[in-house]
Amino acid sequence: FYQFLHIKLFIISLPFLSLVLLFSRFFIYLIVKENFQKNNFTVLLYGSGKVANHFISNNTTFQICGIIDDDKSKYNRLLKGVKIYSPSKIHFLKGKFNFTKVFIAINNLSTKRKNEIFDFLSQLNVSINIIDSVEDNISNKIINSNLRNINFDDLVNREINWNKIKIKNIIYSKIILITGAGGTIGSNLALYLLTFNPKKLILIDHSEYGLYQISQKIENLNTGQKNFDISYITASVCDNRILTRIFKSNPIDCVFHAAAYKHVPLQEFNPLECIQNNVLPTYDLARLALKHNVKNFKLISTDKAVRPTNIMGASKRLAEMIVQFFSEKKSKTIFSIVRFGNVIGSSGSAFPLFLEQINQKRSITITHKNVTRYFMTAKEAIGLILESTHMAKGGEVFLLNMGSPIKILDLAKKMINVMGYSIKGKSNPAGDISIKITGLRPGEKLYEELLIRDNPIATENNDIYKAKENFIKLSDASLLIKDLKNCISQNNINKISKILSKFVDGYKNKYY
């Protein structure tokens, strides 16, 4: 009887148990699906070639909702069960699947095409990554490690060629002096010059740590096959005693003067120090170069020197005019200037600041929604310095054809996306990183210019042009330097500002 009862109870409860099991699996599915959405695991692939094929085959981490591709013949086909769509369907896919990541799965993209794809995707407010390598035996861990953020250099849509043969002619077996050698420009320049086998590099910087860093990088280059002859000098370019000793001890062929204070708001509070560091050493170095028959003297300047509203820009314009003054003297030395926009990743620039803010999950701060700046890569900056040096005849201001300036607000949005986060705002309150407008800082302009007058002159390199601009008359420079030194010794900020107002187009005295 009891045996019969157990069988009967089992038969009766079987449908109920099946129903419980079915609902349990359904609820587990809902929980997993919700967690996928919460953890942003739903992704869209851009590209349906070998990279995408390999990624889909080995992926166990991401939920791939679709693929977009530029090849019309692939539309509506399946790749490993994932449907391929036209890029024009991107908004439809975003609305249907609410993906939060896009993985670019295309090998050997040109800089131009990569930038076009990035601009196209950045309108969606999603994070953008590149699948960097698919040749490994991919596991979940390797998939994650092989996803890299877009190189910020890729955001500058230029591919520029330099005449390396002519560059080598001015560097090979020469003695080169670089001031500000511990900074972004100076250190990158030093590393690049070593590829042309100079006889000796003399690297000056007041920052011991900056020189230590570049010494370590050079040490890593030295494989033992070649010993580089390099002098590391921890000194300020304001110390004319040390500069004089260097020129007396070394038959220098080229001077690249990169040392300068560059941070606009900080120098507004330090006008005397800015003039002392940016103007006076330029005069001393140029005078020593002239006296010792240096072949090339190159001043590294900035777009902020054009019609400056701040002390830093005015000091750099005055430095430019001093170099142009020396170029008028009959000598063996060729004096010239290069004018930069913002170098990506340089100390004090927007890129490292934004990077730090994003990594710390803080709000990105920008000063004004309409602020624009010209940007260039460190590689372009070094190329411009060296290419213009072999082209220089004397007195020129060389500039890179940098296209249109970039809005800092757009830059901030792009960086949030490429770092794998979404923008937090009214339209997306659940986003990761917000953007705050803080207001323009002292001396800051909404936009920068590259030319004082609209008179660019073409050069043999289509990506470089030059300008001949007004300079200090021959009899004025030494008297000007004497006046500036007296103002500094007397702590006379007002008179310094008056001098700048007199000589520098656009600058107005702020210290009446």
Side-chain angles (χ1 to χ4, degrees):
F1 172 77
Y2 287 108
Q3 187 178 3
F4 174 75
L5 182 61
H6 285 159
I7 295 171
K8 189 174 182 180
L9 286 172
F10 175 76
I11 294 171
I12 293 171
S13 61
L14 186 60
F16 174 75
L17 291 172
S18 300
L19 210 57
V20 169
L21 182 62
L22 182 64
F23 275 108
S24 297
R25 298 181 95 180
F26 177 70
F27 282 123
I28 290 170
Y29 165 77
L30 289 178
I31 291 169
V32 170
K33 183 179 179 183
E34 184 181 0
N35 284 334
F36 260 62
Q37 291 173 342
K38 283 183 179 179
N39 290 302
N40 300 326
F41 285 168
T42 304
V43 303
L44 180 76
L45 295 185
Y46 197 119
S48 61
K50 291 181 179 179
V51 178
N53 191 320
H54 192 89
F55 181 81
I56 295 170
S57 299
N58 293 277
N59 166 57
T60 58
T61 303
F62 303 101
Q63 183 177 323
I64 304 169
C65 64
I67 304 170
I68 57 173
D69 197 280
D70 300 320
D71 188 347
K72 294 180 181 180
S73 66
K74 296 182 178 181
Y75 296 166
N76 297 316
R77 292 185 181 181
L78 296 178
L79 177 65
K80 303 286 185 180
V82 183
K83 191 172 181 179
I84 302 171
Y85 299 87
S86 162
S88 64
K89 299 287 187 181
I90 191 85
H91 290 288
F92 162 76
L93 295 170
K94 178 70 167 120
K96 182 176 181 180
F97 298 107
N98 194 29
F99 57 86
T100 55
K101 296 180 183 291
V102 176
F103 295 158
I104 299 175
I106 307 173
N107 262 342
N108 301 320
L109 273 175
S110 68
T111 299
K112 180 179 179 182
R113 184 59 189 139
K114 194 179 295 181
N115 206 53
E116 289 171 350
I117 293 174
F118 177 77
D119 285 339
F120 171 71
L121 294 174
S122 62
Q123 62 183 300
L124 298 174
N125 193 24
V126 295
S127 68
I128 306 166
N129 299 84
I130 295 178
I131 303 174
D132 197 32
S133 172
V134 296
E135 300 304 321
D136 301 306
N137 182 19
I138 297 182
S139 63
N140 292 346
K141 183 177 179 180
I142 295 177
I143 285 176
N144 285 319
S145 67
N146 284 335
L147 292 171
R148 70 168 176 84
N149 295 317
I150 292 176
N151 188 329
F152 295 135
D153 286 7
D154 295 336
L155 304 183
V156 179
N157 187 15
R158 287 188 297 270
E159 294 177 356
I160 295 172
N161 296 313
W162 313 115
N163 191 326
K164 292 184 179 180
I165 295 175
K166 290 187 176 180
I167 290 173
K168 184 175 182 179
N169 289 338
I170 62 172
I171 302 302
Y172 178 75
S173 200
K174 302 294 195 303
I175 299 176
I176 314 292
L177 170 66
I178 303 174
T179 71
T184 304
I185 295 300
S187 59
N188 277 283
L189 179 60
L191 290 169
Y192 191 69
L193 288 181
L194 289 175
T195 64
F196 294 104
N197 295 316
K199 183 177 181 180
K200 182 178 183 179
L201 288 186
I202 304 169
L203 307 181
I204 305 177
D205 203 291
H206 67 89
S207 169
E208 182 187 35
Y209 182 62
L211 278 183
Y212 168 74
Q213 285 186 307
I214 183 60
S215 71
Q216 292 302 296
K217 290 178 182 177
I218 292 174
E219 185 74 23
N220 290 335
L221 290 178
N222 191 349
T223 61
Q225 297 176 349
K226 180 176 178 58
N227 292 317
F228 302 124
D229 187 0
I230 301 173
S231 291
Y232 300 98
I233 301 175
T234 52
S236 169
V237 288
C238 297
D239 192 334
N240 188 52
R241 174 184 57 87
I242 291 177
L243 296 180
T244 301
R245 187 186 73 203
I246 292 170
F247 277 87
K248 282 184 176 180
S249 305
N250 300 275
I252 295 170
D253 296 291
C254 296
V255 174
F256 295 103
H257 180 32
Y261 288 147
K262 302 179 180 72
H263 196 274
V264 169
L266 279 180
Q267 296 315 307
E268 287 299 285
F269 299 107
N270 299 278
L272 297 178
E273 290 73 16
C274 186
I275 296 299
Q276 185 172 32
N277 192 74
N278 290 1
V279 180
L280 303 188
T282 303
Y283 179 84
D284 289 336
L285 281 163
R287 181 178 53 81
L288 286 166
L290 188 74
K291 180 179 178 180
H292 292 275
N293 295 315
V294 170
K295 183 171 177 55
N296 287 289
F297 182 99
K298 179 72 70 177
L299 172 67
I300 314 302
S301 190
T302 169
D303 57 356
K304 293 172 180 63
V306 178
R307 281 183 280 273
T309 59
N310 54 73
I311 194 80
M312 193 285 282
S315 72
K316 291 300 287 183
R317 178 56 190 144
L318 207 56
E320 288 183 357
M321 296 170 79
I322 287 169
V323 172
Q324 290 172 311
F325 154 72
F326 277 98
S327 73
E328 291 295 301
K329 295 192 173 186
K330 294 180 180 180
S331 71
K332 295 179 180 180
T333 307
I334 300 172
F335 293 91
S336 61
I337 301 151
V338 288
R339 213 179 261 163
F340 289 167
N342 293 270
V343 176
I344 292 174
S346 62
S347 57
S349 68
F351 274 83
L353 173 62
F354 291 172
L355 187 61
E356 179 185 354
Q357 290 172 331
I358 293 169
N359 282 332
Q360 295 179 2
K361 301 289 183 69
R362 293 188 283 131
S363 297
I364 281 187
T365 54
I366 66 172
T367 57
H368 194 285
K369 65 178 182 179
N370 292 324
V371 166
T372 63
R373 293 291 182 266
Y374 289 100
F375 284 96
M376 66 194 308
T377 67
K379 181 181 178 181
E380 288 175 335
I382 303 312
L384 173 57
I385 292 170
L386 297 177
E387 183 85 340
S388 64
T389 299
H390 82 69
M391 291 192 294
K393 305 299 181 186
E396 303 97 335
V397 178
F398 289 96
L399 313 104
L400 183 69
N401 182 6
M402 300 181 72
S404 301
I406 297 172
K407 285 186 72 171
I408 299 298
L409 180 60
D410 293 340
L411 174 65
K413 290 177 179 178
K414 286 182 179 182
M415 286 190 67
I416 290 172
N417 291 151
V418 300
M419 291 296 292
Y421 299 103
S422 60
I423 301 167
K424 185 177 182 178
K426 290 181 180 179
S427 61
N428 185 27
D432 302 304
I433 308 289
S434 61
I435 299 174
K436 289 185 178 180
I437 310 296
T438 61
L440 289 174
R441 297 170 296 180
E444 196 169 39
K445 296 167 70 174
L446 276 178
Y447 61 92
E448 302 291 355
E449 305 166 89
L450 290 170
L451 288 167
I452 295 175
R453 293 177 291 172
D454 295 328
N455 61 341
I457 302 168
T459 70
E460 60 192 72
N461 187 320
N462 293 332
D463 294 308
I464 296 177
Y465 56 95
K466 60 185 178 180
K468 274 275 190 181
E469 296 178 340
N470 296 330
F471 59 91
I472 302 168
K473 298 301 180 184
L474 197 62
S475 60
D476 291 343
S478 60
L479 294 175
L480 170 66
I481 295 300
K482 185 178 179 180
D483 284 345
L484 292 175
K485 286 181 177 179
N486 287 335
C487 290
I488 291 169
S489 64
Q490 296 165 12
N491 202 32
N492 194 334
I493 297 175
N494 183 44
K495 189 173 180 182
I496 284 266
S497 193
K498 284 181 179 179
I499 292 172
L500 293 176
S501 299
K502 177 182 177 181
F503 285 104
V504 179
D505 184 20
Y507 184 81
K508 291 182 171 50
N509 187 358
K510 302 178 181 180
Y511 302 98
Y512 286 125

